[in-house]
Coordinates of all heavy atoms in Angstrom, one line a residue:
A208 N 256.4 44.9 114.1 CA 256.4 44.6 112.7 C 257.8 44.1 112.3 O 257.9 43.1 111.6 CB 256.0 45.8 111.8
L209 N 258.9 44.7 112.8 CA 260.2 44.2 112.6 C 260.4 42.8 113.2 O 261.0 41.9 112.6 CB 261.2 45.1 113.2 CG 261.6 46.4 112.4 CD1 262.3 47.4 113.3 CD2 262.4 46.1 111.2
G210 N 259.8 42.6 114.4 CA 259.9 41.3 115.0 C 259.2 40.2 114.2 O 259.7 39.1 114.1
A211 N 258.1 40.6 113.7 CA 257.3 39.6 112.8 C 258.2 39.3 111.6 O 258.2 38.1 111.2 CB 256.0 40.2 112.4
A212 N 258.8 40.3 111.0 CA 259.7 40.0 109.8 C 260.8 39.1 110.2 O 261.1 38.1 109.4 CB 260.2 41.3 109.3
F213 N 261.5 39.3 111.3 CA 262.5 38.4 111.8 C 262.0 37.0 112.0 O 262.7 36.0 111.6 CB 263.2 38.9 113.1 CG 264.1 40.1 112.9 CD1 264.0 41.3 113.5 CD2 265.3 39.9 112.1 CE1 264.9 42.3 113.3 CE2 266.2 40.9 111.9 CZ 266.0 42.1 112.5
C214 N 260.8 36.9 112.5 CA 260.3 35.5 112.8 C 260.0 34.8 111.4 O 260.2 33.6 111.3 CB 259.0 35.7 113.6 SG 259.2 36.1 115.3
L215 N 259.5 35.6 110.5 CA 259.2 35.0 109.2 C 260.5 34.5 108.5 O 260.5 33.5 107.8 CB 258.4 36.0 108.3 CG 257.0 36.2 108.8 CD1 256.4 37.4 108.0 CD2 256.1 35.0 108.5
M216 N 261.5 35.3 108.6 CA 262.8 34.9 108.1 C 263.3 33.7 108.7 O 263.9 32.8 108.1 CB 263.8 36.1 108.2 CG 263.5 37.3 107.4 SD 263.7 37.2 105.7 CE 265.4 37.4 105.5
S217 N 263.1 33.6 110.0 CA 263.5 32.4 110.8 C 262.8 31.1 110.3 O 263.4 30.1 110.1 CB 263.3 32.6 112.3 OG 264.1 33.6 112.8
L218 N 261.5 31.3 110.0 CA 260.7 30.2 109.5 C 261.1 29.7 108.1 O 261.2 28.5 107.8 CB 259.2 30.5 109.5 CG 258.6 30.7 110.9 CD1 257.2 31.4 110.8 CD2 258.3 29.3 111.5
K219 N 261.5 30.7 107.3 CA 261.8 30.4 105.9 C 263.2 29.8 105.8 O 263.4 28.8 105.1 CB 261.8 31.7 105.1 CG 262.0 31.4 103.6 CD 261.8 32.6 102.7 CE 262.0 32.3 101.2 NZ 261.0 31.4 100.7
Y220 N 264.2 30.3 106.6 CA 265.6 29.9 106.5 C 266.0 29.0 107.6 O 267.2 28.5 107.6 CB 266.5 31.1 106.4 CG 266.2 31.9 105.1 CD1 265.6 33.2 105.2 CD2 266.5 31.4 103.8 CE1 265.3 33.9 104.1 CE2 266.2 32.2 102.7 CZ 265.6 33.4 102.8 OH 265.3 34.2 101.7

Side-chain angles (χ1 to χ4, degrees):
L209 281 167
F213 280 122
C214 287
L215 290 167
M216 296 288 279
S217 295
L218 289 164
K219 186 172 181 66
Y220 298 108

